[in-house]
Amino acid sequence: MTDETAIAFELPHVRAAATAGDQPHDRISVRDYVRDVEIGAFLSERGVTQRIRFNVVLEVAAHVAAQDDDVDKVISYDTIVQAIEHQLGAERINLLETLAERVAERCLTDRRAIRVFVRIEKLDRIPGALGVEIVRMRKGVAAVPIRARAPLPDDAPIPAVSCADDRAALDAVSGPTVLCVPPMGAVATDPAGEAARRIALLAYDQGAWAFAADDSRCTVVATRTELDWALRKGLICIWAPSKIVLDTMPAPADLRRETLAAWFEALLNR
C-alpha cells in the first residue's frame, strides 16, 4: 500500500502514478502553468493580480492513438489549458478550492477522462507557495456536466430589476422585485481607476442601506444567496451592488444606475 504521507508534497503526476492500482491509466499533464490572476477573499487581494501556478494531471481511458499516430483519438493537452483559461475568464473567485473544483469539473466533461489531479498554488503570498490539491473521478458513463453558474436555484423566482426610487411606488410592487436605488451623494458614472470605481460602488451600497432603513418591507441584498432568501420571504430587495459587480467578469464600466440595473437583470437571467 502506498504511504500517502510520504508523497503528500509530490507533484500530481507522482501521486497519480503512486495511486494507480493494478491497471494504471494513461495520463496527460500540464505542469507549472503560471498565470497572473485576481483571486482571493481578502480586501488586499482585490483589484490586484498575483501569480497562480497550476499543475494538472488527467487520467484517460486506454486508446490506440500511439499505434495509429492519430491526433483525433487522444485528449488534447489543450483540454487542460482551456479548462483553466475558461474558468479564469468566467468570473472572479475568492477561494483556490473553488477554482480547483471548477477546473477539475471541466476537465472531466470529456467521456474519455477518468480521474483528474489539480494542484493550484499562490506564489506571492508567502516566501514559498501555498495552495490546494484535489483529486476527482468521473462517475458513471455519462460526462460530468459543467456547473451552470445560475444565480438562483431552479425553483427560485427570477426578479425584475427596477430603478424606481419613489417610496410610494413600493405599494405597486407585485412579484419578485429588486430595486437599484440612487447612490448616497454624487458619484462618477465612468470612474477612472480602481479606487474611484470602488468609491462609486460603495456610494450605491450606502444609498441602498439608507433607503431600506425606513421600510420594513425592504431588505438590502449584496449576494445571490441573500437575494434568494429575501425573494422566498416575499421581501422587496434593495441591491447593494459593490460585491457582485467586483466579483463578476466582465463587470460594467458604466456605473449609471440604469446601466447597473440592466446588467444585473441580465446576469440573473443567464
Side-chain angles (χ1 to χ4, degrees), residues 45-67:
E45 294 177 296
R46 293 183 176 273
V48 297
T49 60
Q50 56 185 303
R51 291 178 302 149
I52 303 296
R53 180 168 62 201
F54 297 82
N55 281 280
V56 181
V57 173
L58 185 60
E59 292 187 338
V60 300
H63 49 69
V64 295
Q67 292 86 346

Side-chain angles (χ1 to χ4, degrees), residues 173-196:
V173 168
S174 62
T177 302
V178 179
L179 298 185
C180 182
V181 301
M184 183 74 75
V187 299
T189 57
D190 55 347
E194 184 66 20

Side-chain angles (χ1 to χ4, degrees), residues 113-267:
I114 296 172
R115 187 169 65 157
V116 63
F117 291 69
V118 179
R119 176 182 290 183
I120 307 178
E121 298 165 293
K122 293 182 179 181
L123 303 181
D124 299 326
R125 295 294 291 177
I126 61 173
L130 56 84
V132 61
E133 179 178 323
I134 66 171
V135 183
R136 297 292 181 266
M137 180 174 289
R138 184 168 65 84
K139 298 179 180 179
V141 177
V144 176
I146 300 170
R147 179 185 294 109
R149 294 295 297 155
L152 300 171
D154 292 339
D155 60 343
I158 301 298
V161 181
S162 170
C163 286
D165 55 14
D166 182 354
R167 292 190 182 278
L170 296 181
D171 296 330
V173 168
S174 62
T177 302
V178 179
L179 298 185
C180 182
V181 301
M184 183 74 75
V187 299
T189 57
D190 55 347
E194 184 66 20
R197 182 165 174 259
R198 289 173 180 271
I199 290 170
L201 288 169
L202 287 173
Y204 276 105
D205 288 359
Q206 289 178 310
W209 283 103
F211 189 93
D214 296 329
D215 196 314
S216 61
R217 295 171 295 175
C218 299
T219 187
V220 176
V221 296
T223 66
R224 295 177 177 186
T225 300
E226 290 172 323
L227 177 60
D228 175 39
W229 175 86
L231 292 174
R232 293 182 187 279
K233 294 291 185 180
L235 298 172
I236 297 172
C237 301
I238 312 300
W239 181 38
S242 63
K243 176 172 173 49
I244 290 177
V245 170
L246 291 172
D247 283 354
T248 306
M249 295 187 300
D254 183 348
L255 296 186
R256 287 177 296 178
R257 190 157 59 102
E258 295 78 7
T259 304
L260 283 174
W263 174 84
F264 190 39
E265 184 167 317
L267 182 68

